[in-house]
Amino acid sequence: MLKTMAMANLTLSLDDNLLRKAREAALREKTSVNALVRDYLSRYVDARSRRIQALDAFDAVADRSSSASQAPWSRESLHGRSLG
């Protein structure tokens, strides 16, 4: 048995030139503007979710770390080279 996903309708206001270019792109890709927008939004949400997960993981590592700087960093100290 196939499960169907509920779909919501969305009204967008687009510049006429942008819509024309989107229609041309959809035609070249043998799809619809609707499918292009749906695909773009899906990829955007997925990428944003992955960025948030990565930042959360980074925060978790930072929270577990006990290291701390003894003095403020400067550009010179960050790019300094040891001559020894």
Side-chain angles (χ1 to χ4, degrees):
M1 175 179 239
L2 286 173
K3 286 187 177 183
T4 58
M5 294 172 50
M7 295 277 187
N9 287 324
L10 173 67
T11 301
L12 297 173
S13 296
L14 302 173
D15 177 86
D16 289 339
N17 193 41
L18 176 59
L19 180 56
R20 181 183 53 75
K21 289 178 180 180
R23 284 179 174 151
E24 290 169 359
L27 186 62
R28 279 192 307 274
E29 295 180 29
K30 295 184 169 104
T31 190
S32 65
V33 172
N34 186 60
L36 291 177
V37 171
R38 188 173 45 244
D39 181 57
Y40 171 79
L41 288 175
S42 178
R43 286 184 286 118
Y44 173 81
V45 168
D46 183 53
R48 188 171 191 282
S49 176
R50 285 184 280 123
R51 280 193 306 273
I52 290 170
Q53 287 175 344
L55 288 172
D56 288 346
F58 180 79
D59 285 342
V61 168
D63 288 343
R64 291 191 305 266
S65 174
S66 61
S67 65
S69 296
Q70 299 300 316
W73 295 352
S74 68
R75 181 175 176 83
E76 291 76 25
S77 68
L78 289 174
H79 295 283
R81 303 263 193 266
S82 173
L83 299 176

